[in-house]
Amino acid sequence: MISQTAEYSLRAMAYLADQMPQGYRSTIEVATATKVPTPYLSKVLKRLVDIGLLKGQRGPGGGFLLMRTPELITVWDVVDAVEPIKRITTCPLQLGSHAKVLCPLHRKLDNALAQLEKAFRETSLADLINQPGAPQPLCDFVNSQRLPLS
Amino acid sequence: MISQTAEYSLRAMAYLADQMPQGYRSTIEVATATKVPTPYLSKVLKRLVDIGLLKGQRGPGGGFLLMRTPELITVWDVVDAVEPIKRITTCPLQLGSHAKVLCPLHRKLDNALAQLEKAFRETSLADLINQPGAPQPLCDFVNSQRLPLS
DNA sequence: CCAAATAAAGACATAATTGTCTTAAAATCT
DNA sequence: AGATTTTAAGACAATTATGTCTTTATTTGG
């Protein structure tokens, strides 16, 4: 229901949100952590740069970095950037009689899309990594650098 | 967010639900009414037959017919038949630590899918064609055969 | 039985998505 | 300046989704 590219984008953004304090992270590191094919992730990351969600930095010590803090980037921002949710605002059959009000079928479908959009807009990357009482961290990598060594 | 094929399937099923009292409806008629390319719709309808949602009848007077009444077929039945909503039940990264509990990202995504599934399960084809106070019928074709000629 | 209508089946074509590989450009460090 | 690290860019390949076309099988009605 959501494309592979969107899934990969979300994994990468979540990882980069978690790793933000450490600065730039390279394609290979992100790919390894999120288990995404490296060459393909490279293209996905470039897209996120073009869109303005990430900054790419070349050379030693370079890599990718969020352009905003995790609190200010939502799941919707990411999904909308790589695979926009196309809301149904006009009749797909282009029926004149549906110009103002969608038929029940498309009304229902668009309501479902609206629900989805709302859920995505209400979730920030911070919500994905800062889970106080949550039993599991985002993924194996999350916070791994920051946990006390015990 | 939902495939073209699923959209076409829903249009066709809604049309056939509306036309059920008139008996079999041919591919060409359904294609014209729903504005779907005829040859492609033909394949879609065959799939709906294979799945058991429609009955196909050859020869003069033949065509397609719902296997159940519109009340007993949901939007979910149709979508699930042609393009199943893949719920996230296990970690897509196959991380051992997520065997029991999904990470927040995939928990959120699956919750969204659950919402979608619920909305689709709660809507029957009958809901799409019998709208007492609704300002618009399903589409131009709906109930057109049954309206008083006035 | 024959002709017409219709779905069924499957070959073929096109486009989008996903994935790989190679080269170029830029930044850093010594 | 030169070597190394890294993203940027773009060609190429494989797969899936979408769409078209032709032939075959079945059913009905005369």
Side-chain angles (χ1 to χ4, degrees), chain B residues 17-90:
Chain B
D18 180 69
Q19 299 287 315
M20 203 174 185
Q22 275 79 33
Y24 292 106
R25 298 285 112 180
S26 75
T27 304
I28 289 176
E29 178 182 333
V30 178
T32 306
T34 60
K35 302 201 178 177
V36 175
T38 308
Y40 192 64
L41 183 66
S42 169
K43 289 172 72 167
V44 171
L45 291 173
K46 179 197 165 293
R47 231 166 125 183
L48 294 169
V49 168
D50 291 343
I51 274 150
L53 288 176
L54 292 180
K55 177 167 188 280
Q57 174 66 40
R58 300 196 228 199
F64 296 89
L65 193 66
L66 299 193
M67 287 290 277
R68 286 176 266 150
T69 61
E71 285 76 17
L72 296 179
I73 302 179
T74 66
V75 167
W76 183 84
D77 290 329
V78 179
V79 172
D80 186 62
V82 302
E83 181 210 17
I85 294 176
K86 287 187 274 290
R87 290 289 299 276
I88 303 171
T89 55
T90 62

Side-chain angles (χ1 to χ4, degrees), chain A residues 1 12 57 59 71 77 90 92 94 96-97 109 116 120 128-129 135 138 142-143:
Chain A
M1 196 56 66
Q57 173 67 38
E71 286 75 17
D77 289 327
T90 62
Q94 308 196 309
S97 59
L109 292 179
L116 201 63
F120 286 177
L128 301 180
I129 58 178
L138 169 62
V142 167
N143 293 323

